[in-house]
PDB file of all heavy atoms in Angstrom:
ATOM      1  N   ASN A 373     153.589-168.707 201.960  1.00 75.00           N
ATOM      2  CA  ASN A 373     153.172-169.283 200.682  1.00 75.00           C
ATOM      3  C   ASN A 373     154.181-170.253 200.085  1.00 75.00           C
ATOM      4  O   ASN A 373     154.448-170.243 198.877  1.00 75.00           O
ATOM      5  CB  ASN A 373     152.868-168.172 199.667  1.00 75.00           C
ATOM      6  CG  ASN A 373     151.717-167.283 200.100  1.00 75.00           C
ATOM      7  OD1 ASN A 373     150.718-167.777 200.625  1.00 75.00           O
ATOM      8  ND2 ASN A 373     151.850-165.977 199.927  1.00 75.00           N
ATOM      9  N   GLY A 374     154.757-171.107 200.918  1.00 78.00           N
ATOM     10  CA  GLY A 374     155.591-172.187 200.422  1.00 78.00           C
ATOM     11  C   GLY A 374     157.063-171.888 200.282  1.00 78.00           C
ATOM     12  O   GLY A 374     157.889-172.804 200.262  1.00 78.00           O
ATOM     13  N   VAL A 375     157.428-170.622 200.147  1.00 86.00           N
ATOM     14  CA  VAL A 375     158.839-170.248 200.024  1.00 86.00           C
ATOM     15  C   VAL A 375     159.227-169.435 201.254  1.00 86.00           C
ATOM     16  O   VAL A 375     158.757-168.314 201.443  1.00 86.00           O
ATOM     17  CB  VAL A 375     159.110-169.443 198.734  1.00 86.00           C
ATOM     18  CG1 VAL A 375     160.588-169.084 198.652  1.00 86.00           C
ATOM     19  CG2 VAL A 375     158.694-170.248 197.513  1.00 86.00           C
ATOM     20  N   ILE A 376     160.089-170.006 202.088  1.00 89.00           N
ATOM     21  CA  ILE A 376     160.422-169.419 203.383  1.00 89.00           C
ATOM     22  C   ILE A 376     161.730-168.640 203.269  1.00 89.00           C
ATOM     23  O   ILE A 376     162.755-169.185 202.856  1.00 89.00           O
ATOM     24  CB  ILE A 376     160.580-170.509 204.449  1.00 89.00           C
ATOM     25  CG1 ILE A 376     159.330-171.396 204.487  1.00 89.00           C
ATOM     26  CG2 ILE A 376     160.854-169.902 205.811  1.00 89.00           C
ATOM     27  CD1 ILE A 376     159.530-172.701 205.240  1.00 89.00           C
ATOM     28  N   SER A 377     161.703-167.378 203.641  1.00 88.00           N
ATOM     29  CA  SER A 377     162.913-166.555 203.649  1.00 88.00           C
ATOM     30  C   SER A 377     163.576-166.671 205.010  1.00 88.00           C
ATOM     31  O   SER A 377     163.204-165.980 205.960  1.00 88.00           O
ATOM     32  CB  SER A 377     162.573-165.093 203.335  1.00 88.00           C
ATOM     33  OG  SER A 377     162.041-164.966 202.040  1.00 88.00           O
ATOM     34  N   ILE A 378     164.542-167.575 205.103  1.00 89.00           N
ATOM     35  CA  ILE A 378     165.225-167.804 206.370  1.00 89.00           C
ATOM     36  C   ILE A 378     166.538-168.521 206.107  1.00 89.00           C
ATOM     37  O   ILE A 378     166.649-169.307 205.159  1.00 89.00           O
ATOM     38  CB  ILE A 378     164.338-168.645 207.333  1.00 89.00           C
ATOM     39  CG1 ILE A 378     164.849-168.588 208.771  1.00 89.00           C
ATOM     40  CG2 ILE A 378     164.215-170.082 206.832  1.00 89.00           C
ATOM     41  CD1 ILE A 378     163.880-169.171 209.785  1.00 89.00           C
ATOM     42  N   THR A 379     167.547-168.235 206.906  1.00 89.00           N
ATOM     43  CA  THR A 379     168.837-168.901 206.768  1.00 89.00           C
ATOM     44  C   THR A 379     168.909-170.099 207.698  1.00 89.00           C
ATOM     45  O   THR A 379     168.096-170.235 208.625  1.00 89.00           O
ATOM     46  CB  THR A 379     169.996-167.950 207.096  1.00 89.00           C
ATOM     47  OG1 THR A 379     169.925-167.597 208.485  1.00 89.00           O
ATOM     48  CG2 THR A 379     169.919-166.679 206.249  1.00 89.00           C
ATOM     49  N   HIS A 380     169.889-170.968 207.479  1.00 91.00           N
ATOM     50  CA  HIS A 380     170.087-172.113 208.367  1.00 91.00           C
ATOM     51  C   HIS A 380     170.398-171.635 209.783  1.00 91.00           C
ATOM     52  O   HIS A 380     169.947-172.237 210.767  1.00 91.00           O
ATOM     53  CB  HIS A 380     171.225-172.993 207.845  1.00 91.00           C
ATOM     54  CG  HIS A 380     170.915-173.660 206.546  1.00 91.00           C
ATOM     55  ND1 HIS A 380     171.632-174.732 206.069  1.00 91.00           N
ATOM     56  CD2 HIS A 380     169.952-173.421 205.618  1.00 91.00           C
ATOM     57  CE1 HIS A 380     171.130-175.110 204.910  1.00 91.00           C
ATOM     58  NE2 HIS A 380     170.121-174.319 204.617  1.00 91.00           N
ATOM     59  N   GLU A 381     171.167-170.554 209.890  1.00 88.00           N
ATOM     60  CA  GLU A 381     171.523-170.010 211.204  1.00 88.00           C
ATOM     61  C   GLU A 381     170.284-169.511 211.941  1.00 88.00           C
ATOM     62  O   GLU A 381     170.115-169.758 213.146  1.00 88.00           O
ATOM     63  CB  GLU A 381     172.527-168.877 211.040  1.00 88.00           C
ATOM     64  CG  GLU A 381     172.990-168.237 212.347  1.00 88.00           C
ATOM     65  CD  GLU A 381     173.829-169.177 213.191  1.00 88.00           C
ATOM     66  OE1 GLU A 381     174.479-170.075 212.622  1.00 88.00           O
ATOM     67  OE2 GLU A 381     173.836-169.009 214.424  1.00 88.00           O
ATOM     68  N   GLN A 382     169.392-168.826 211.220  1.00 86.00           N
ATOM     69  CA  GLN A 382     168.168-168.326 211.846  1.00 86.00           C
ATOM     70  C   GLN A 382     167.263-169.465 212.300  1.00 86.00           C
ATOM     71  O   GLN A 382     166.639-169.394 213.363  1.00 86.00           O
ATOM     72  CB  GLN A 382     167.430-167.410 210.864  1.00 86.00           C
ATOM     73  CG  GLN A 382     168.125-166.086 210.629  1.00 86.00           C
ATOM     74  CD  GLN A 382     167.527-165.312 209.463  1.00 86.00           C
ATOM     75  OE1 GLN A 382     167.054-165.901 208.488  1.00 86.00           O
ATOM     76  NE2 GLN A 382     167.522-163.988 209.570  1.00 86.00           N
ATOM     77  N   LEU A 383     167.202-170.517 211.494  1.00 89.00           N
ATOM     78  CA  LEU A 383     166.406-171.688 211.879  1.00 89.00           C
ATOM     79  C   LEU A 383     166.986-172.351 213.126  1.00 89.00           C
ATOM     80  O   LEU A 383     166.247-172.791 214.016  1.00 89.00           O
ATOM     81  CB  LEU A 383     166.376-172.697 210.731  1.00 89.00           C
ATOM     82  CG  LEU A 383     165.103-172.780 209.884  1.00 89.00           C
ATOM     83  CD1 LEU A 383     165.244-173.852 208.820  1.00 89.00           C
ATOM     84  CD2 LEU A 383     163.878-173.019 210.739  1.00 89.00           C
ATOM     85  N   ALA A 384     168.315-172.428 213.181  1.00 88.00           N
ATOM     86  CA  ALA A 384     168.976-173.028 214.341  1.00 88.00           C
ATOM     87  C   ALA A 384     168.666-172.241 215.606  1.00 88.00           C
ATOM     88  O   ALA A 384     168.405-172.817 216.673  1.00 88.00           O
ATOM     89  CB  ALA A 384     170.485-173.088 214.106  1.00 88.00           C
ATOM     90  N   ILE A 385     168.674-170.922 215.504  1.00 83.00           N
ATOM     91  CA  ILE A 385     168.347-170.072 216.650  1.00 83.00           C
ATOM     92  C   ILE A 385     166.904-170.309 217.079  1.00 83.00           C
ATOM     93  O   ILE A 385     166.589-170.419 218.266  1.00 83.00           O
ATOM     94  CB  ILE A 385     168.574-168.592 216.299  1.00 83.00           C
ATOM     95  CG1 ILE A 385     170.077-168.307 216.175  1.00 83.00           C
ATOM     96  CG2 ILE A 385     167.943-167.673 217.345  1.00 83.00           C
ATOM     97  CD1 ILE A 385     170.400-166.915 215.667  1.00 83.00           C
ATOM     98  N   GLU A 386     166.013-170.400 216.104  1.00 82.00           N
ATOM     99  CA  GLU A 386     164.601-170.629 216.391  1.00 82.00           C
ATOM    100  C   GLU A 386     164.387-171.952 217.132  1.00 82.00           C
ATOM    101  O   GLU A 386     163.561-172.045 218.047  1.00 82.00           O
ATOM    102  CB  GLU A 386     163.801-170.636 215.086  1.00 82.00           C
ATOM    103  CG  GLU A 386     162.309-170.779 215.243  1.00 82.00           C
ATOM    104  CD  GLU A 386     161.644-169.566 215.854  1.00 82.00           C
ATOM    105  OE1 GLU A 386     162.239-168.470 215.809  1.00 82.00           O
ATOM    106  OE2 GLU A 386     160.539-169.711 216.396  1.00 82.00           O
ATOM    107  N   LEU A 387     165.178-172.966 216.751  1.00 85.00           N
ATOM    108  CA  LEU A 387     165.010-174.307 217.318  1.00 85.00           C
ATOM    109  C   LEU A 387     165.895-174.554 218.530  1.00 85.00           C
ATOM    110  O   LEU A 387     165.773-175.587 219.186  1.00 85.00           O
ATOM    111  CB  LEU A 387     165.295-175.359 216.242  1.00 85.00           C
ATOM    112  CG  LEU A 387     164.312-175.362 215.068  1.00 85.00           C
ATOM    113  CD1 LEU A 387     164.839-176.254 213.941  1.00 85.00           C
ATOM    114  CD2 LEU A 387     162.942-175.840 215.516  1.00 85.00           C
ATOM    115  N   GLY A 388     166.825-173.632 218.791  1.00 78.00           N
ATOM    116  CA  GLY A 388     167.704-173.797 219.935  1.00 78.00           C
ATOM    117  C   GLY A 388     168.721-174.902 219.747  1.00 78.00           C
ATOM    118  O   GLY A 388     169.024-175.641 220.686  1.00 78.00           O
ATOM    119  N   THR A 389     169.248-175.035 218.524  1.00 83.00           N
ATOM    120  CA  THR A 389     170.231-176.071 218.249  1.00 83.00           C
ATOM    121  C   THR A 389     171.366-175.482 217.423  1.00 83.00           C
ATOM    122  O   THR A 389     171.405-174.284 217.156  1.00 83.00           O
ATOM    123  CB  THR A 389     169.575-177.261 217.517  1.00 83.00           C
ATOM    124  OG1 THR A 389     170.514-178.330 217.438  1.00 83.00           O
ATOM    125  CG2 THR A 389     169.117-176.883 216.124  1.00 83.00           C
ATOM    126  N   ALA A 390     172.292-176.332 216.989  1.00 81.00           N
ATOM    127  CA  ALA A 390     173.439-175.871 216.212  1.00 81.00           C
ATOM    128  C   ALA A 390     173.078-175.768 214.731  1.00 81.00           C
ATOM    129  O   ALA A 390     172.241-176.531 214.229  1.00 81.00           O
ATOM    130  CB  ALA A 390     174.621-176.828 216.388  1.00 81.00           C
ATOM    131  N   ARG A 391     173.721-174.821 214.040  1.00 86.00           N
ATOM    132  CA  ARG A 391     173.460-174.651 212.607  1.00 86.00           C
ATOM    133  C   ARG A 391     173.779-175.925 211.834  1.00 86.00           C
ATOM    134  O   ARG A 391     173.081-176.287 210.882  1.00 86.00           O
ATOM    135  CB  ARG A 391     174.291-173.486 212.061  1.00 86.00           C
ATOM    136  CG  ARG A 391     174.046-173.197 210.576  1.00 86.00           C
ATOM    137  CD  ARG A 391     175.009-172.160 210.048  1.00 86.00           C
ATOM    138  NE  ARG A 391     176.391-172.582 210.181  1.00 86.00           N
ATOM    139  CZ  ARG A 391     176.987-173.462 209.363  1.00 86.00           C
ATOM    140  NH1 ARG A 391     176.313-174.019 208.368  1.00 86.00           N
ATOM    141  NH2 ARG A 391     178.238-173.810 209.554  1.00 86.00           N
ATOM    142  N   GLU A 392     174.831-176.638 212.256  1.00 88.00           N
ATOM    143  CA  GLU A 392     175.216-177.865 211.555  1.00 88.00           C
ATOM    144  C   GLU A 392     174.113-178.913 211.607  1.00 88.00           C
ATOM    145  O   GLU A 392     173.906-179.666 210.638  1.00 88.00           O
ATOM    146  CB  GLU A 392     176.503-178.434 212.175  1.00 88.00           C
ATOM    147  CG  GLU A 392     177.745-177.583 211.960  1.00 88.00           C
ATOM    148  CD  GLU A 392     177.817-176.378 212.889  1.00 88.00           C
ATOM    149  OE1 GLU A 392     177.004-176.324 213.854  1.00 88.00           O
ATOM    150  OE2 GLU A 392     178.661-175.505 212.660  1.00 88.00           O
ATOM    151  N   VAL A 393     173.402-178.982 212.735  1.00 89.00           N
ATOM    152  CA  VAL A 393     172.299-179.933 212.868  1.00 89.00           C
ATOM    153  C   VAL A 393     171.185-179.588 211.886  1.00 89.00           C
ATOM    154  O   VAL A 393     170.644-180.461 211.191  1.00 89.00           O
ATOM    155  CB  VAL A 393     171.763-179.938 214.313  1.00 89.00           C
ATOM    156  CG1 VAL A 393     170.498-180.800 214.422  1.00 89.00           C
ATOM    157  CG2 VAL A 393     172.827-180.437 215.270  1.00 89.00           C
ATOM    158  N   VAL A 394     170.840-178.312 211.815  1.00 91.00           N
ATOM    159  CA  VAL A 394     169.788-177.866 210.905  1.00 91.00           C
ATOM    160  C   VAL A 394     170.192-178.120 209.460  1.00 91.00           C
ATOM    161  O   VAL A 394     169.393-178.611 208.646  1.00 91.00           O
ATOM    162  CB  VAL A 394     169.477-176.375 211.133  1.00 91.00           C
ATOM    163  CG1 VAL A 394     168.591-175.830 210.006  1.00 91.00           C
ATOM    164  CG2 VAL A 394     168.787-176.179 212.478  1.00 91.00           C
TER     165      VAL A 394
END
Side-chain angles (χ1 to χ4, degrees):
N373 297 319
V375 180
I376 306 165
S377 297
I378 195 169
T379 66
H380 293 197
E381 181 68 27
Q382 289 169 327
L383 257 181
I385 289 173
E386 184 69 21
L387 295 169
T389 188
R391 182 187 60 78
E392 293 78 11
V393 173
V394 169

